[in-house]
Each structure stands twice: as structure tokens, then as C-alpha cells.
Amino acid sequence: MNLATSKRPIPYLLFLYPSFLQGAIPAARRHESSARRTTKRLRVKPDPSFIPTTPTNQLQDNVIFNPPSSSPSPYQTPAAFLPPSDPRRSILVRSHEHANPYAQPNKRLPPPIQKPVEKRYHLKEDEIAEIRRLRQKDPDTWTRKKLAQKFDCSEFFVSMICEASQERKQQQQMALDDIKARWGKRRTYAREDRQKRRVLWGRDE
């Protein structure tokens, strides 16, 4: 490279100096004068709409709509901030109609994804008593699922009208304890943490 044609000052061409002289060459540093100019440019004053014009003792809670500086659009301004005679209100109404075509009263809704379930109250007192008798007689055979299929009702309804015996509950608890005994440390810690979170949810914490 020709030094005569170079526009950079000679002291800044560090690769031309030996390695032991590079530390002695002064480097560019930011001083207090330049730092003050930089920080002064960052001190942007707030928008005048955010500065209260009423006295402090008369201030009330108000909603301030201050959109960013961009091209105006009627879809960005809420209707609460538009005057009653503003033509943008009609544009907002038409936009809502196109956004939700099923909001019209005579418009047919799309078919449901799942078939709606209608509640039925067809079981009589003798059938409910029979469900309780079978459940108490042999809970291993007559589970809630089998009883629901036999009497054409839901498992939730079976659990409402009859409850398992104490022996059945003890067997289920023993089976659950046997499963928990084979858990590792990570699963045990995860289940304990889940129980703690549920307790905190009840306390709204």
C-alpha cells in the first residue's frame, strides 16, 4: 500500500508498527464533552398529549389514545374516540360485518365439529336402585363404564348416584401406592410440585 495515497493518519496504521510499540500509540477515546452531546440527544421530551394540563389535585383517571406516527387508518382508531358524526364510524361497522359474517341474525352457522349431546332424564327410581345394587355387589365387574353402557347413561351420572365401597377404595389406594413406589426421583418431585401448585392456585398466589 502506498502511504502517500492513504487517507488515514499515520498513527492509526498500527500494522506498520512493531508489536511492542502498538501499546504506546494513543487510541480514540470518548471524553466528557462528546458523551454529553450523545446523552443530550437521547433526552426526548414526552408527547404534549401525555402532559396533564389540569392541576394535580383535580386529576382523574382518563384513557389516552396516542397512536404511533404512521398513515391514518379508520381500523386503528376505536369507536369510543370518534365523534358521532365521524364518517369513519360507518367504515368500522362495515369492517366488523365482513370480519364476522355469522353475526347477522339470518345467517346460517357452520355445522358443529362434534355432535351435541342432549341431556336425558329417562332413568326411574327402580333403575337407579339397580345401579346401586350392582355397584355394591361386585364393583370389579360392574364398573362405571359398564353400568353406563347397560343403562344408557353417562359415567358421571353413575358416580353421582352411587359410590364405591370402602373395600374398593382401599384396593384402589393400595394399587396407587404400589405404582407410586416404583416412581423415580424426578417423577416424585414433579408430582409433589404439581400438588403444591394446586394449593397455591386455591389461594390465588
Side-chain angles (χ1 to χ4, degrees):
M1 182 180 65
N2 190 2
L3 298 179
T5 59
S6 177
K7 297 181 180 180
R8 299 178 61 185
I10 297 299
Y12 289 95
L13 301 177
L14 300 180
F15 58 91
L16 298 178
Y17 292 88
S19 59
F20 62 88
L21 291 178
Q22 292 181 4
I25 298 175
R29 296 181 181 179
R30 183 180 294 277
H31 297 280
E32 184 180 359
S33 57
S34 59
R36 185 183 294 109
R37 289 196 301 269
T38 305
T39 55
K40 185 178 180 180
R41 293 175 182 176
L42 296 177
R43 296 171 186 165
V44 181
K45 294 183 179 181
D47 193 85
S49 61
F50 286 99
I51 301 176
T53 56
T54 57
T56 309
N57 55 355
Q58 299 180 3
L59 289 178
Q60 298 179 359
D61 295 335
N62 297 320
V63 180
I64 300 175
F65 179 68
N66 189 11
S69 56
S70 60
S71 58
S73 174
Y75 305 105
Q76 297 177 356
T77 306
F81 295 95
L82 297 176
S85 60
D86 199 307
R88 289 178 292 179
R89 284 182 171 273
S90 59
I91 300 177
L92 284 175
V93 172
R94 291 197 299 269
S95 66
H96 293 329
E97 292 178 357
H98 290 290
N100 187 11
Y102 298 104
Q104 301 176 6
N106 299 328
K107 191 72 174 180
R108 292 186 58 184
L109 296 177
I113 299 177
Q114 296 181 356
K115 184 178 180 180
V117 180
E118 297 181 1
K119 294 184 179 181
R120 297 183 302 166
Y121 304 93
H122 61 286
L123 294 179
K124 300 180 181 180
E125 291 293 336
D126 54 347
E127 294 176 339
I128 294 176
E130 182 66 15
I131 293 175
R132 293 172 177 172
R133 186 185 68 81
L134 294 175
R135 183 65 172 166
Q136 291 292 333
K137 180 181 179 181
D138 192 359
D140 295 331
T141 303
W142 294 104
T143 59
R144 291 188 300 179
K145 184 177 181 179
K146 289 185 178 180
L147 289 172
Q149 293 176 355
K150 178 178 175 60
F151 293 92
D152 193 15
C153 62
S154 63
E155 298 182 18
F156 179 71
F157 180 75
V158 175
S159 64
M160 287 176 58
I161 63 176
C162 62
E163 189 178 1
S165 60
Q166 294 295 331
E167 297 179 359
R168 177 68 175 176
K169 291 181 179 180
Q170 292 178 2
Q171 292 176 2
Q172 294 293 330
Q173 186 63 34
M174 291 174 61
L176 181 60
D177 294 340
D178 189 19
I179 295 174
K180 289 182 178 181
R182 296 193 297 267
W183 286 355
K185 293 183 179 179
R186 296 180 62 183
R187 177 170 291 185
T188 304
Y189 175 77
R191 294 303 175 91
E192 291 177 355
D193 187 64
R194 182 187 297 178
Q195 295 294 333
K196 292 179 182 178
R197 290 200 305 269
R198 288 181 179 177
V199 174
L200 295 178
W201 293 342
R203 298 176 183 174
D204 195 13
E205 296 180 0

